[in-house]
Amino acid sequence: MDYVSIILPFIGGLGMFIYGMQIMAQGLENAAGSKMKSLLEVLTKNKFFGVLLGAFITAVIQSSSATTVMVVGFVNAGIMNLTQAMGVIMGANIGTTVTGWLVSSVEWAKALSPANIAPVAVMIGVIVMLTGKRRSTKDISSIIVGFGILFIGITTMSDAVEPLQQSEAFCNLFVTLGHSPFLGIVAGALVTAVIQSSSASVGILQSLAAAGLVPFNAAVYIIMGQNIGTCVTAIMSSIGAKKTAKTAAVMHLLFNIIGTIIFSVVAIVFFKVINPGFGEALITQTEISTVHTIFNIGTTILLFPVSDWIIKLAKKLEREDSDDVDEGQVLLDDRMLETPSIALQSTVSEMVRMGHVVRGTMNRTRDVLITKKREEIEKIREEETIADGLCKGITEYAIKLNTLSINEKEHQEVASILQIVSDIERVSDYCENISEFAENLKDQKASFSEIAREEIQQMEDVCIDCFRYAIEALEERSKEKAMKVIEKESQADELEIALRTAHMKRLARNECSTESGIVFLDALVCLERISDHARNIAEEILTAE
């Protein structure tokens, strides 16, 4: 038998299958980006919502490995806790069954035969791609082209392995795997670990089944092994991450191992005792999809009630300690860039967190010119350094995000993030300037007059409210609060002019010292500019679609 003529077309078909899956996934992801973001926003500690989210995302990006890698990134970034992660991991196993059903549709929907539909799908997709002007149209064309290439790949693989029906050694290999559950599980795990995609691994199994090579019992054990093999990608991605992220990867592995043990016992009893003949019958592509789906949904149903124990066991194995999150650490992870729409939402969340950090600094400046406390001055400087680091990290991440395949609206959102982050950082700079003014007053042993104290705090109250409304508007995407920022900024402008005029008159009457008078005027300038930056943030929100 000429194995070269079998292996080369099979490898080519596998390449087309994986490539088609990726093209289709990219188109689906771009088309469903906003939906994925909104799902992330409603994700709570309720694991059931996590299961739904994990199933949806995996169905879209066609890879449970990619989903769990993304979960590891979320946990590492502090955006998702382990309870939420557990739900998404369980859902990911369910979502990965979608590809198998697409492939097996050639059996239960005869009209969808690859020989008929794949070339037509590719041609239609290419025509739409070349003639379409809008980004959404091109996304649809990617889905169609990817769908067609995926089917051409699976057909090429099935045709390539058909001669192996005549190979007694190859047929005996699958018989052996069927009689030895451990070998079947290991085989499935190894293949999946190598190609790092359980969807592609199931596709290979289905192509072999289409050629009439796979007994039912061997397929069951291989499918269970494939779920273990898909954990390798997440474990590799957790290398170098925080302990919590490593714990999430261990949770994924434990979940699939426990599920495999439970269903392996059931399968062994059924195939060895209850109905031995059934296991030796050849399995179809549709039956592979059915077994894959029953295994993943069944495992989720069985382990969902005890998922908290799995989390505790993973923590124990990983020896995770509850470490404090460094406020200055940028909680963004490159793993999330696998799904740009969700990475974008995470960037927005981190930008809002930076806003709250600077809002705290802004509140701290209210009394520092009066009290001139050294510890408050130092704290403001520390927080300004934190804001600088957050600005740098978010900006670099947003630039990476901008180089990915995202739609025009998302490009605009990235540009808005860059502008807003810059405005927030400038507010932090002005807060540091005010702390330096307080230090100058302390060093010169100068103080404001009673009227100057009241006036500077009046200006501070307006500007603090202005920036507070800006951050709340940013977090809530509230145009009403953005309009309040505009009102407060106008009030700050008018107040700055009035207070400057009144203070110049006091200086002329020698009612306050020159040193404190200069500080007062400089502080007014800083506060007024803070309100300007708050207005910039509000205008970004008001002009957003």
Side-chain angles (χ1 to χ4, degrees):
M1 185 173 290
D2 184 7
Y3 287 103
V4 173
S5 62
I6 294 173
I7 294 171
L8 290 180
F10 182 83
I11 292 173
L14 177 60
M16 282 192 288
F17 179 84
I18 294 173
Y19 181 60
M21 195 165 59
Q22 287 183 338
I23 293 175
M24 184 171 66
Q26 188 64 60
L28 282 165
E29 184 184 326
N30 290 340
S34 59
K35 178 64 73 175
M36 291 168 77
K37 285 193 289 184
S38 62
L39 277 171
L40 183 65
E41 288 169 359
V42 301
L43 181 64
T44 67
K45 290 184 179 180
N46 187 325
K47 288 192 292 290
F48 180 71
F49 286 109
V51 172
L52 296 179
L53 178 68
F56 175 78
I57 292 175
T58 306
V60 169
I61 64 178
Q62 299 283 297
S63 172
S64 60
S65 298
T67 301
T68 48
V69 165
M70 192 165 55
V71 167
V72 169
F74 283 149
V75 173
N76 193 50
I79 293 168
M80 185 180 285
N81 60 38
L82 291 174
T83 302
Q84 293 168 321
M86 189 73 234
V88 177
I89 286 168
M90 290 187 286
N93 280 15
I94 296 172
T96 196
T97 61
V98 170
T99 309
W101 283 108
L102 280 175
V103 172
S104 65
S105 64
V106 299
E107 290 182 344
W108 48 266
K110 296 295 185 183
L112 297 177
S113 168
N116 298 331
I117 200 168
V120 177
V122 172
M123 194 61 214
I124 292 172
V126 170
I127 292 171
V128 173
M129 188 179 294
L130 293 175
T131 58
K133 302 293 183 184
R134 298 172 60 185
R135 179 60 187 258
S136 58
T137 306
K138 292 186 180 295
D139 290 337
I140 293 170
S141 70
S142 295
I143 297 170
I144 298 171
V145 170
F147 182 77
I149 294 175
L150 182 150
F151 272 112
I152 292 173
I154 200 74
T155 305
T156 304
M157 284 195 290
S158 299
D159 292 344
V161 298
E162 198 166 335
L164 291 175
Q165 287 177 311
Q166 313 304 320
S167 171
E168 189 175 339
F170 199 81
C171 292
N172 287 338
L173 172 63
F174 277 101
V175 171
T176 303
L177 294 177
H179 289 158
S180 174
F182 178 75
L183 289 178
I185 291 169
V186 170
L190 284 176
V191 171
T192 308
V194 169
I195 62 177
Q196 297 203 8
S197 171
S198 59
S199 297
S201 181
V202 170
I204 292 172
L205 186 64
Q206 287 178 304
S207 67
L208 294 169
L213 294 166
V214 187
F216 209 104
N217 50 13
V220 170
Y221 300 133
I222 290 170
I223 287 169
M224 289 188 283
Q226 287 168 338
N227 272 42
I228 294 175
T230 196
C231 300
V232 170
T233 312
I235 290 170
M236 288 173 61
S237 79
S238 71
I239 296 172
K242 292 192 304 186
K243 278 193 174 183
T244 312
K246 291 178 182 176
T247 303
V250 172
M251 277 162 34
H252 184 213
L253 181 62
L254 285 174
F255 177 76
N256 285 334
I257 287 176
I258 294 169
T260 297
I261 291 171
I262 293 170
F263 278 89
S264 291
V265 171
V266 173
I268 290 169
V269 171
F270 182 80
F271 292 134
K272 300 282 187 183
V273 180
I274 298 175
N275 193 343
F278 186 84
E280 295 173 2
L282 295 177
I283 195 169
T284 65
Q285 290 179 318
T286 304
E287 286 168 341
I288 286 175
S289 298
T290 304
V291 170
H292 192 210
T293 303
I294 289 172
F295 171 63
N296 285 313
I297 293 178
T299 301
T300 299
I301 292 172
L302 285 174
L303 299 184
F304 187 89
V306 296
S307 57
D308 287 339
W309 293 353
I310 296 175
I311 295 172
K312 288 177 184 176
L313 179 57
K315 284 182 177 180
K316 194 170 183 180
L317 291 173
E318 195 50 48
R319 295 178 183 175
E320 184 206 333
D321 301 316
S322 54
D323 43 4
D324 296 328
V325 178
D326 180 8
E327 193 180 46
Q329 182 183 0
V330 181
L331 303 180
L332 292 169
D333 196 297
D334 286 350
R335 298 168 183 85
M336 289 183 286
L337 294 171
E338 292 285 334
T339 311
S341 55
I342 292 183
L344 180 58
Q345 182 61 34
S346 301
T347 310
V348 171
S349 299
E350 189 67 354
M351 175 179 64
V352 171
R353 187 175 75 87
M354 178 187 172
H356 283 298
V357 169
V358 176
R359 180 181 164 188
T361 310
M362 183 76 196
N363 290 335
R364 202 179 294 280
T365 63
R366 186 185 184 279
D367 297 319
V368 75
L369 285 169
I370 312 303
T371 64
K372 302 185 284 290
K373 288 182 180 178
R374 185 71 65 184
E375 58 269 24
E376 288 296 297
I377 293 170
E378 289 302 322
K379 186 64 178 174
I380 289 171
R381 285 176 177 168
E382 288 173 13
E383 290 175 348
E384 199 280 328
T385 302
I386 289 173
D388 282 347
L390 291 174
C391 177
K392 183 175 182 289
I394 295 170
T395 299
E396 288 175 352
Y397 194 83
I399 291 170
K400 285 182 190 176
L401 188 54
N402 211 34
T403 63
L404 302 178
S405 177
I406 56 178
N407 59 41
E408 188 58 37
K409 184 179 178 182
E410 288 170 329
H411 276 297
Q412 290 172 0
E413 197 165 347
V414 170
S416 179
I417 287 170
L418 291 170
Q419 179 59 54
I420 291 172
V421 165
S422 175
D423 281 311
I424 294 172
E425 195 276 332
R426 292 297 293 139
V427 170
S428 177
D429 287 342
Y430 285 122
C431 289
E432 184 182 36
N433 290 346
I434 292 171
S435 74
E436 289 170 354
F437 300 155
E439 190 172 39
N440 290 339
L441 287 174
K442 186 177 184 68
D443 292 342
Q444 295 171 10
K445 296 182 180 178
S447 297
F448 291 149
S449 63
E450 191 61 37
I451 185 66
R453 287 184 184 185
E454 292 176 4
E455 288 181 348
I456 200 69
Q457 288 190 322
Q458 183 184 2
M459 181 69 174
E460 283 174 334
D461 287 342
V462 172
C463 294
I464 286 171
D465 282 347
C466 188
F467 188 68
R468 173 174 62 85
Y469 282 130
I471 298 306
E472 289 176 358
L474 181 63
E475 186 171 19
E476 301 166 18
R477 285 311 201 194
S478 169
K479 293 187 184 295
E480 290 77 17
K481 287 192 175 178
M483 288 305 300
K484 287 184 178 180
V485 175
I486 305 296
E487 293 171 14
K488 286 288 180 182
E489 193 275 335
S490 298
Q491 187 180 341
D493 285 347
E494 294 170 3
L495 191 58
E496 192 265 345
I497 294 170
L499 296 183
R500 177 182 293 276
T501 303
H503 192 68
M504 293 300 289
K505 290 178 181 178
R506 283 197 299 274
L507 282 172
R509 295 193 298 264
N510 291 320
E511 293 178 4
C512 57
S513 66
T514 304
E515 293 83 1
S516 61
I518 292 171
V519 168
F520 183 93
L521 295 173
D522 287 342
L524 279 182
V525 171
C526 287
L527 290 167
E528 192 276 328
R529 287 179 182 170
I530 285 173
S531 71
D532 289 341
H533 286 291
R535 181 177 182 129
N536 290 346
I537 295 170
E539 286 176 346
E540 287 290 336
I541 296 163
L542 290 170
T543 56
E545 292 181 9

